[in-house]
Each structure stands twice: as C-alpha cells, then as structure tokens.
Amino acid sequence: MMNIALSERLNAVLETARDNTIGHKRIIDVGSDHGHLAARAVMDGIFESAVCTDIHKGPADKSASLMKDMSLSDKVKVYCTDGLDGVELTEDDTVVMAGLGGNNMVDIISRVNASYDKELLKTVTFILQPQKSIEVLREFLSQNAFAVTEETVVQERGIYYPILVTRYTGETYNLSLREKYYGPVLMKKFEAGEAVVSEYFIRLDSRYKIRARGDQEIGRLLEEMGND
Ligand SMILES: C[S@@+](CC[C@H](N)C(=O)[O-])C[C@H]1O[C@@H](n2cnc3c(N)ncnc32)[C@H](O)[C@@H]1O
C-alpha cells in the first residue's frame, strides 16, 4: 500500500483541523490537488469521511484514483468544481483551504456566505492557509462576521505559512492596520515570545518594507509602526 506522507505544512494544517474541530466528522479539502490531506485525515481516524474538490480535472482525477488505490472511495468523495460549488455543507463540517490565494478564498467563502442558512454556517469551521494576500482575507473575515479563533505559523524549508481557524458568528468587527497585516492572534503570540511567530514577523517586516514603495496603505502601516 502506498505511503502517504504529508509535508510539514500540510501536516500542520491537518493538526490544526484536528485540534480545533472536536466532534466534527467530515473534512472538506478545497483545492485538494493530490488528495493527500483528505486521505490522511480519514486513514488516521481524525475524520470519518472527507470530500475533495479541485477546479481542475487533472488533480481531481489524481485524488479519485488515490482514493481507489487506498480503498477509500466509499469514505472520500471527489468533485471537480470551483470551491464548494455543488457540495452541500452540513452541520459541523470542517472546510480546509490550503495553498490557495487569499482572494480566491474570499470568492469561495463569499458564495457560501450568500447561499447558506446562517445558523448552519455557525457550526462550520474553516481552516485557511493562504499562500498570499492574507490581509485581504483578514479584512473580508472581519467585515463579514467570521471570527478568527486561532492563528498559527508553520515553517517549512525556510518559508513561513500562517494558518487561520475561522467561524461565522454574525458579528462583524474592525481590525487596525497592524492587525490586518500581522493578525491579532499572532500579535498576542509574538508578545508572548513565540519563536516561530517572531521569525515570521521579521520576514513580514522586510516584505512590507519592499511593498511600501508602491502601496500607500502599507506605507501608512509602517509609519504607524515607526511611531509606536
Ligand atoms: C497550490 S495547490 C495546493 C494543493 C494542496 N491544497 C496543498 O496545500 O498542498 C492549489 C490547488 O487548488 C486548486 N484550485 C485553485 N483554485 C480553486 C478553486 N477555486 N476551487 C477548487 N480548487 C481550486 C488548483 O487546481 C490546485 O490543485
């Protein structure tokens, strides 16, 4: 039988899902590509069943054939679709999106937000590992009443990946510029001296210094931080 080893990043995403969704039975991996995360989630008994979605046929076919090879086809359904289109969310689902851009995640969650009963949505947990535009995602979540209950950072081969846990609450909130770009939960972990977060923030500082040249909002952010 094939050995499915997750990268450190994907393993951290799955562990974050496990630790933040007690009692959830189904995991839905949007942008599942190879399907490894869903396969591991079910094989390790973390979730009873899974759904993989991928917008491209090649990856969706790859996941489907993996599930067949691993005799998991009855527990893991695979769809070639955009985001969660055509997948019906049910109570206490866990939705993972890893490796997608923040704007793409905003599009996908917006469609869910517009079409689902809000009481059902409150039971669904989203685990998000955006590859870029995390500030766009944070702003969207705050203005659309999704609370971020946990944020972590995993480092793999010198690259730092933030992971967010979020749920719809019905209550919007405002983020300061600093919170939008660094994350309120991570800021607390930074203040508490969490090493990986400090290292990540050093990376962000230099990234934002470069971006400030062509981005007025980041320019303002750095000015504010310089004045603290
Ligand atoms: C960079 S890969 C990430 C794969 C895996 N989640 C991981 O983190 O290793 C992104 C995958 O998401 C798929 N994808 C991109 N946009 C999508 C969308 N709107 N809905 C579903 N899948 C999408 C791509 O086809 C690709 O297979």
Side-chain angles (χ1 to χ4, degrees):
M1 194 176 270
M2 186 183 160
N3 179 30
I4 299 172
L6 295 184
S7 64
E8 272 184 62
R9 173 185 59 85
L10 271 188
N11 195 47
V13 170
L14 182 56
E15 283 182 352
T16 305
R18 180 197 63 200
D19 295 346
N20 289 277
T21 63
I22 309 299
H24 286 206
K25 295 192 168 67
R26 183 170 76 152
I27 187 165
I28 303 174
D29 186 13
V30 175
S32 53
D33 194 0
H34 33 65
H36 290 177
L37 182 134
R40 268 270 61 102
V42 171
M43 287 163 75
D44 293 349
I46 301 171
F47 292 88
E48 283 177 14
S49 67
V51 172
C52 292
T53 84
D54 204 288
I55 199 164
H56 293 118
K57 188 175 178 318
D61 286 350
K62 214 168 17 172
S63 293
S65 86
L66 173 75
M67 301 316 161
K68 197 164 163 240
D69 291 350
M70 306 299 288
S71 306
L72 291 170
S73 300
D74 55 334
K75 291 187 175 158
V76 185
K77 301 292 167 217
V78 181
Y79 299 94
C80 182
T81 188
D82 184 350
L84 287 156
D85 294 358
V87 176
E88 196 177 347
L89 286 179
T90 56
E91 205 167 301
D92 289 339
D93 272 336
T94 295
V95 176
V96 164
M97 296 188 216
L100 278 64
N103 284 300
N104 200 356
M105 291 180 182
V106 165
D107 285 346
I108 294 167
I109 301 172
S110 293
R111 292 202 296 277
V112 168
N113 200 20
S115 53
Y116 276 91
D117 172 71
K118 292 292 184 263
E119 290 309 308
L120 171 77
L121 208 49
K122 281 180 183 169
T123 72
V124 176
T125 303
F126 293 83
I127 313 290
L128 308 175
Q129 182 263 299
Q131 211 63 5
K132 56 182 178 181
S133 310
I134 193 166
E135 67 280 6
V136 176
L137 180 63
R138 283 208 189 93
E139 185 69 10
F140 166 83
L141 295 173
S142 68
Q143 295 309 305
N144 287 274
F146 285 81
V148 175
T149 55
E150 172 64 321
E151 293 185 59
T152 56
V153 175
V154 58
Q155 189 262 118
E156 184 181 60
R157 295 196 206 141
I159 300 176
Y160 293 84
Y161 300 96
I163 303 168
L164 277 66
V165 180
T166 182
R167 290 188 194 94
Y168 179 79
T169 62
E171 286 173 34
T172 60
Y173 52 96
N174 293 320
L175 293 173
S176 67
L177 258 192
R178 204 163 179 168
E179 287 171 333
K180 177 173 165 182
Y181 283 88
Y182 288 83
V185 180
L186 289 182
M187 283 165 66
K188 284 201 184 82
K189 291 186 177 181
F190 174 80
E191 279 156 26
E194 202 172 295
V196 69
V197 177
S198 305
E199 292 162 21
Y200 173 57
F201 277 16
I202 289 169
R203 286 289 167 90
L204 283 184
D205 290 345
S206 33
R207 201 179 299 163
Y208 292 152
K209 264 185 201 136
I210 295 166
R211 281 179 60 189
R213 289 176 202 148
D215 187 318
Q216 286 185 354
E217 186 174 85
I218 296 181
R220 269 205 334 273
L221 166 75
L222 296 192
E223 224 173 83
E224 268 182 35
M225 286 168 57
N227 291 336
D228 279 355

